[in-house]
Amino acid sequence: MNKLMARLIFCFFAEDTEIFVGKGRFTDTIAKMSARDSSNTHEVLATLFRAMNTKREDRVTAQIPRWAEDFPYVN
């Protein structure tokens, strides 16, 4: 739980300070890619975290979806 909260706090901070390109990029992506009933929100978050933990040159091999490619590598 601590790890999840730390990641979420970082993402909200990065969104507010525009580290992520585009205003509201993180929350908009979650809203857009999650099902109406939020049944897959955990999968969307996991994919975003995996994308941010994968170097850009390794993302094709890691099969990062196109909708998550714009998020920066932050390790």
Side-chain angles (χ1 to χ4, degrees):
M1 184 61 109
N2 288 339
K3 191 174 185 180
L4 172 64
M5 293 306 295
R7 286 178 175 183
L8 288 174
I9 290 168
F10 167 78
C11 289
F12 292 135
F13 170 79
E15 185 174 67
D16 287 346
T17 59
E18 298 183 7
I19 292 172
F20 295 153
V21 178
K23 187 162 179 72
R25 179 70 174 222
F26 181 70
T27 52
D28 288 347
T29 300
I30 293 169
K32 183 178 178 182
M33 299 312 297
S34 294
R36 283 183 152 243
D37 65 354
S38 299
S39 61
N40 71 332
T41 302
H42 65 288
E43 294 168 354
V44 173
L45 286 170
T47 299
L48 288 173
F49 293 151
R50 188 167 55 94
M52 289 185 271
N53 196 38
T54 305
K55 294 179 183 177
R56 291 207 182 265
E57 59 269 14
D58 298 332
R59 290 187 179 189
V60 172
T61 306
Q63 298 180 342
I64 301 297
R66 186 174 212 161
W67 56 265
E69 286 180 356
D70 290 339
F71 285 86
Y73 170 68
V74 292
N75 193 5

